[in-house]
Amino acid sequence: MWAVCKKELRQFFSSLTGYIAILVFLLLNGLILFVFPNTDILTFGYANLDKFFELAPWILLLLIPAVTMRSLSDEFRMGTFEILQTTPLSRGQLVVGKYLASLIVVLIALLPTLVYFLSIGRLSGQGGIDTGATIGSYIGLLFLSAVFTAIGICCSSFTGNAVVAFIGAAFACFLLYSGFGAISQLAVFAAGADYYIEMIGIDFHYRSISRGVIDSRDLIYFLSVIFLFLSLTNRNLAKQLAKRNKLLSSKYGWIALIALLVVLNLLAGHFHYRLDLTREKRYTLSAPTKSLLGKLDDDIELDFFLQGDLKAGIRQLSKSTLDLLQEFNEYCDGRIRVRNFDPLTTLNDSAKVTFLDSLRKLGIQPMTQVAQSKKGEEQSQRIVIPGAILKYKDKIFPVNLLSGVQVAREGQPEEQLYTNAETLLEYKFGSAIDKITRKQIPAIGYVLGNGEPLDFSVYNLIQDLRASYRFGVLRLDSVPLIPLQYDALIIVKPTQKFTDREKLALDQYVMHGGKLIWAIDQLHAEMDSLREDHQVIAYDRGLELEDLFFRYGVRVNQDLVEDLQCASLNLVVGMQGDKPQFKLLPWPYFPLLNGSLTHPISKNLDPVYSKFANSIDTVKAPGIEKTILLQGSDNGRTLSTPALISFESVKQASDPHVFNKPRIPVAVLLEGKFSSLFANRIGTAVADSLANYYKQPFLPAAPEASRVIVIGDADIAMNEVSPQGPLQMGFNKDNNYKFANEDFIQNCVEYLVNPSNILETRSKDYTLRLLDPTKVEEGRAFWQFINIVLPVLLVIAGGWVYQLLRKRKYNA
């Protein structure tokens, strides 16, 4: 076998034909990847080789048939095949020897492409290149080459004409690589067979492994295809000698072989192992997501609109989304039917306007992409839709890929926004699937009775709760105890004192496992009064909740938080004639709050917009775990009551020495077994009444853990109201920007009531891996030369050394 392999290698590298095939392969790769504008890695800007691994299969479709076309066809044409049969080799050894020789040639052709990896590594800026993912992708390319080589050897065994063998091998590789994927898109297979038809194709398994994920199912598939085509090659050789193997020459033998391979792959689908080589484990789904997908009982249709000619960052986000959805299908047997298209390409102008308006009503905001030339001149504009629509039975659910995503901070590249969006993809689609398929819908109560608003200022909040949960209004002042059918209660901006009876009802609700969200303003401070009088004194509302909060483990302070990281107000700064002159000025009483670095409720969130927020301190409470969810920046301060608020305070906003209190907490999560505020305080008669009449025994301590969230600013959960109606929660009309308030509140509610724990998937961290733009621009010509010419020179040098050694050997 090895003698045949060495003979084939000597024959291949003894002529110019072999070198030319390899050089053409390397030149095509170099030019397409580093020169051609639409596929240039240097222009793309990301420190990865994704474009190479997407392009390589199509070039290998031509290279490998060129390598294998003479393997057996020349033996038949020159009549040397019969001579080979006189050697002490079996047909199987002969086939494997020629196969290994061709595969080694292909690997030699791939070896110089490591120059691309080294070059991108040298050019990378922040994050560097993901070595593990690249190794996994090369392993995928190795197995793809092995399959194409087996197909090429098989086609060469059918004919004595090398040209026919080349054409047949190229066509067979193309058909098996992409044909099944195309067939699966036919409408006739849309009922459920499309996913399984696509799985038959090589492309499906190559895409899976080329991401950097080594899955035993893909490996067994590749080995099965290799074995099948080498067996077919062996059968063809037997036919040439009229010495057929009795098993494989019969149709039953081939049926048995194919059935065996099918069974092997089916077993691999049920008992498999996967290894995610990517540095951040990008393609490893969390346990809650796997459990959720495994319970899907019907198909989900998913229309994904981020398609077409996209800028680098958005294109990467689109690719990551499709990769994730492919991973989802691995755990739900292909029940997610993805349709990836740009709907705007098929609509006329009026239909586009109608379609975009409908998307905005669903919460998906189209964005304008501006394409620019290298000199920065505007070239074109187009509307892109960073979102998807899920359809399950009679339900529709939108997914906005960019909503609530932490924006790129000052000094960070634009692509950071899209990397932040990538970290939330699993959560966004997992949460959407959870909400659209859930059978048990949690009940949320909105508490009234202490001056809480029930008007347009909470319109967005109530609409969100109604859309995702069973929603009800609970009047705390008219019920002795809170019904336990409510999974959670939310209390927003109370303005009146809480009585002991009301606090007892809330206390026992928590003791019996209920969850609470408090969004309160300890101080009375309103913008309407400030705009009218130009200054206002913030004073205590007298809610008398201090004892209850202290028992939870927090204290909401009677102060106001000021921060240099804040929203702006459109203020009058002077007069021009009789017309006031307005200017946007930072308003430190409207802090923009940062989320937690670790907790899924607020991790990876855009800043949360607050108004006249109160700081929160944590106090000792045995058995209670406390987590800061929202906090100020490193440049904050607190203003104690009575606090005078004046527009004059903007004059101090630029002095960092005044704002010297870092990371002031404004929202806290409390988890654990709470102790009752009323333990040892109520009489036996009251306790008996609770147990007998209201069927809720008084509990001095909670037997099970519960959760409470305290937010020191009610405005976080409210929305502004314009003359045209309510605005979106977190929208600042002066800044014309929507902050992440809505996502924060939705995450709070979901964390309290969702048993699937899908919110845990927000905890992922991805590193933005970019090329250093300075290195690229200053050395573009040099790196183009290196990646086009150096691989070619390596092959030429290797060939020269081989010929030199060969001459010395035979001259000796």
Side-chain angles (χ1 to χ4, degrees):
M1 180 177 71
W2 290 112
V4 173
C5 178
K6 288 189 286 186
K7 167 188 169 294
E8 289 292 312
L9 289 173
R10 283 197 302 269
Q11 184 175 341
F12 188 87
F13 288 111
S14 296
S15 67
L16 285 176
T17 306
Y19 294 104
I20 291 173
I22 294 175
L23 293 177
V24 169
F25 168 75
L26 293 172
L27 282 172
L28 278 176
N29 272 308
L31 290 171
I32 294 174
L33 294 174
F34 293 94
V35 177
F36 293 176
N38 292 332
T39 54
D40 182 7
I41 292 179
L42 302 181
T43 301
F44 184 59
Y46 279 85
N48 60 47
L49 289 175
D50 289 355
K51 285 186 172 293
F52 168 61
F53 294 113
E54 292 171 6
L55 170 70
W58 301 103
I59 301 181
L60 290 175
L61 281 173
L62 301 176
L63 171 69
I64 293 178
V67 171
T68 60
M69 65 182 182
R70 298 182 183 275
S71 294
L72 291 168
S73 59
D74 273 9
E75 303 286 0
F76 299 146
R77 182 175 60 84
M78 294 187 295
T80 55
F81 180 69
E82 288 75 9
I83 298 175
L84 284 175
Q85 289 298 298
T86 63
T87 61
L89 292 173
S90 66
R91 285 192 309 277
Q93 290 175 318
L94 174 63
V95 170
V96 172
K98 287 185 171 287
Y99 170 74
L100 289 177
S102 297
L103 182 58
I104 290 172
V105 171
V106 176
L107 295 182
I108 290 173
L110 290 175
L111 197 59
T113 63
L114 291 175
V115 172
Y116 308 156
F117 171 73
L118 297 175
S119 298
I120 296 301
R122 290 295 301 272
L123 286 171
S124 64
Q126 63 180 80
I129 189 169
D130 191 337
T131 303
T134 306
I135 291 173
S137 299
Y138 265 108
I139 291 173
L141 201 56
L142 168 64
F143 276 97
L144 178 71
S145 301
V147 169
F148 282 177
T149 303
I151 295 172
I153 292 289
C154 182
C155 291
S156 181
S157 71
F158 276 92
T159 176
N161 189 317
V163 175
V164 173
F166 171 83
I167 295 173
F171 178 75
C173 290
F174 172 78
L175 183 64
L176 291 173
Y177 180 74
S178 62
F180 288 100
I183 293 171
S184 70
Q185 300 299 317
L186 298 177
V188 68
F189 299 117
D194 52 347
Y195 178 73
Y196 299 100
I197 292 174
E198 187 181 13
M199 285 181 66
I200 302 173
I202 298 171
D203 176 47
F204 180 90
H205 298 274
Y206 172 72
R207 280 188 287 112
S208 175
I209 202 170
S210 67
R211 299 172 303 167
V213 180
I214 309 302
D215 194 312
S216 59
R217 293 170 294 184
D218 298 322
L219 300 184
I220 290 175
Y221 169 84
F222 285 126
L223 294 174
S224 298
V225 175
I226 292 169
F227 182 77
L228 177 64
F229 278 96
L230 292 184
S231 298
L232 183 58
T233 304
N234 188 44
R235 176 182 181 275
N236 286 333
L237 296 185
K239 285 178 63 177
Q240 296 291 336
L241 297 171
K243 297 178 182 177
R244 302 187 186 186
N245 182 300
K246 290 184 179 180
L247 176 64
L248 294 182
S249 63
S250 68
K251 62 180 180 180
Y252 301 109
W254 279 102
I255 292 174
L257 175 62
I258 293 173
L260 176 64
L261 295 177
V262 170
V263 169
L264 181 63
N265 280 269
L266 290 175
L267 289 174
H270 289 86
F271 307 99
H272 65 276
Y273 175 78
R274 67 197 307 276
L275 179 63
D276 187 349
L277 297 179
T278 59
R279 193 173 300 175
E280 298 100 356
K281 307 301 178 188
R282 286 181 174 236
Y283 304 108
T284 300
L285 299 183
S286 64
T289 303
K290 293 177 185 178
S291 175
L292 172 68
L293 295 172
K295 296 175 183 176
L296 278 183
D297 59 357
D298 205 347
D299 291 347
I300 293 177
E301 295 181 13
L302 192 152
D303 291 341
F304 181 53
F305 305 127
L306 200 55
Q307 179 67 297
D309 184 18
L310 304 172
K311 293 173 68 174
I314 309 177
R315 193 186 320 155
Q316 185 69 21
L317 177 61
S318 175
K319 179 181 180 298
S320 297
T321 303
L322 295 174
D323 286 342
L324 176 80
L325 295 175
Q326 179 182 342
E327 195 68 23
F328 273 24
N329 271 324
E330 295 287 339
Y331 291 92
C332 64
D333 293 329
R335 287 193 176 277
I336 302 176
R337 314 277 177 208
V338 181
R339 192 163 63 119
N340 183 24
F341 68 105
D342 180 3
L344 301 181
T345 58
T346 59
L347 300 176
N348 58 38
D349 291 342
S350 61
K352 284 181 183 178
V353 172
T354 303
F355 178 74
L356 294 175
D357 285 343
S358 66
L359 288 180
R360 291 187 183 96
K361 291 178 181 177
L362 288 172
I364 298 176
Q365 296 295 327
M367 57 185 292
T368 301
Q369 171 185 282
V370 180
Q372 292 183 336
S373 66
K374 294 181 180 179
K375 297 181 179 180
E377 299 173 355
E378 183 177 316
Q379 289 183 324
S380 62
Q381 292 185 355
R382 60 163 299 203
I383 296 175
V384 296
I385 305 171
I389 300 291
L390 281 72
K391 302 173 185 176
Y392 175 77
K393 296 180 178 179
D394 58 343
K395 301 176 184 176
I396 294 178
F397 198 91
V399 174
N400 186 344
L401 302 185
L402 298 181
S403 68
V405 176
Q406 187 177 29
V407 297
R409 300 185 183 276
E410 186 177 353
Q412 292 180 330
E414 175 191 355
E415 288 82 2
Q416 185 66 55
L417 168 67
Y418 304 112
T419 299
N420 294 341
E422 287 182 60
T423 65
L424 297 178
L425 286 176
E426 182 181 345
Y427 165 70
K428 284 180 176 288
F429 283 98
S431 178
I433 292 172
D434 178 51
K435 290 177 180 177
I436 205 173
T437 61
R438 64 173 50 153
K439 303 296 188 295
Q440 298 287 335
I441 301 177
I444 307 296
Y446 182 80
V447 176
L448 297 177
N450 295 84
E452 294 86 355
L454 190 63
D455 53 20
F456 276 150
S457 65
V458 289
Y459 176 83
N460 202 172
L461 171 65
I462 292 176
Q463 288 298 105
D464 285 346
L465 294 176
R466 281 177 172 166
S468 301
Y469 305 99
R470 289 183 291 127
F471 176 78
V473 173
L474 175 72
R475 296 202 64 89
L476 187 62
D477 56 353
S478 61
V479 295
L481 285 178
I482 298 170
L484 295 180
Q485 62 259 35
Y486 287 108
D487 296 282
L489 299 178
I490 182 166
I491 303 172
V492 178
K493 201 168 186 173
T495 58
Q496 299 171 10
K497 171 185 173 181
F498 282 77
T499 65
D500 283 346
R501 187 195 61 77
E502 292 169 337
K503 287 191 281 189
L504 174 62
L506 292 167
D507 174 273
Q508 287 301 294
Y509 173 72
V510 173
M511 294 306 111
H512 282 85
K515 284 89 174 176
L516 282 177
I517 297 178
W518 291 89
I520 68 165
D521 290 336
Q522 279 281 58
L523 302 183
H524 184 281
E526 303 293 342
M527 278 300 299
D528 291 341
S529 302
L530 182 60
R531 290 189 183 278
E532 183 176 342
D533 301 328
H534 300 288
Q535 65 179 21
V536 67
I537 295 178
Y539 58 89
D540 180 20
R541 289 188 185 273
L543 301 177
E544 298 196 10
L545 291 170
E546 291 81 3
D547 52 355
L548 189 61
F549 288 160
F550 196 85
R551 180 67 67 163
Y552 292 158
V554 295
R555 178 175 55 242
V556 183
N557 297 310
Q558 295 186 10
D559 59 17
L560 294 176
V561 176
E562 294 183 88
D563 203 296
L564 289 183
Q565 180 179 289
C566 57
S568 299
L569 277 183
N570 202 16
L571 299 176
V572 177
V573 294
M575 300 292 292
Q576 186 173 4
D578 58 348
K579 294 182 180 180
Q581 297 298 301
F582 290 90
K583 184 179 180 181
L584 275 177
L585 294 174
W587 182 237
Y589 292 103
F590 285 4
L592 299 179
L593 305 173
N594 300 321
S596 167
L597 295 177
T598 57
H599 201 280
I601 287 180
S602 54
K603 183 177 181 179
N604 296 322
L605 269 185
D606 204 14
V608 172
Y609 172 42
S610 65
K611 301 179 183 178
F612 304 121
N614 310 132
S615 68
I616 297 179
D617 292 333
T618 58
V619 297
K620 185 177 180 180
I624 304 302
E625 181 182 353
K626 309 170 187 73
T627 305
I628 305 300
L629 297 179
L630 293 177
Q631 58 189 352
S633 73
D634 290 335
N635 302 106
R637 71 169 184 169
T638 56
L639 187 63
S640 299
T641 185
L644 177 64
I645 305 171
S646 168
F647 288 131
E648 292 297 316
S649 61
V650 297
K651 297 178 181 179
Q652 300 179 6
S654 59
D655 185 1
H657 299 291
V658 176
F659 296 84
N660 54 10
K661 192 173 182 180
R663 298 179 292 280
I664 301 171
V666 175
V668 179
L669 166 67
L670 307 160
E671 300 176 279
K673 296 181 181 180
F674 293 93
S675 298
S676 172
L677 173 65
F678 295 90
N680 303 318
R681 286 178 52 183
I682 67 169
T684 305
V686 176
D688 291 342
S689 174
L690 294 175
N692 298 328
Y693 186 76
Y694 298 109
K695 307 302 180 184
Q696 289 186 24
F698 174 79
L699 296 177
E704 302 292 338
S706 188
R707 295 167 174 172
V708 174
I709 294 175
V710 180
I711 305 170
D713 179 20
D715 292 296
I716 288 175
M718 301 171 69
N719 55 262
E720 297 179 3
V721 182
S722 72
Q724 290 74 36
L727 302 176
Q728 291 180 303
M729 189 189 307
F731 183 79
N732 181 295
K733 57 187 177 183
D734 289 330
N735 297 77
N736 193 31
Y737 187 81
K738 182 184 178 185
F739 295 94
N741 297 44
E742 186 172 8
D743 293 275
F744 173 71
I745 296 297
Q746 288 178 346
N747 292 347
C748 287
V749 177
E750 184 171 350
Y751 185 76
L752 296 188
V753 303
N754 193 342
S756 72
N757 295 321
I758 199 71
L759 198 69
E760 291 179 9
T761 60
R762 288 183 51 87
S763 298
K764 287 192 170 184
D765 277 314
Y766 289 171
T767 300
L768 176 61
R769 307 184 187 282
L770 293 177
L771 300 177
D772 187 322
T774 304
K775 291 181 181 178
V776 170
E777 290 307 314
E778 291 179 353
R780 175 179 289 271
F782 171 76
W783 291 107
Q784 287 175 331
F785 176 83
I786 287 293
N787 287 280
I788 295 172
V789 177
L790 183 56
V792 172
L793 293 179
L794 289 174
V795 173
I796 293 174
W800 179 79
V801 171
Y802 171 74
Q803 296 297 334
L804 182 64
L805 294 175
R806 189 165 175 263
K807 285 181 179 180
R808 286 185 178 180
K809 177 181 177 181
Y810 288 105
N811 288 337

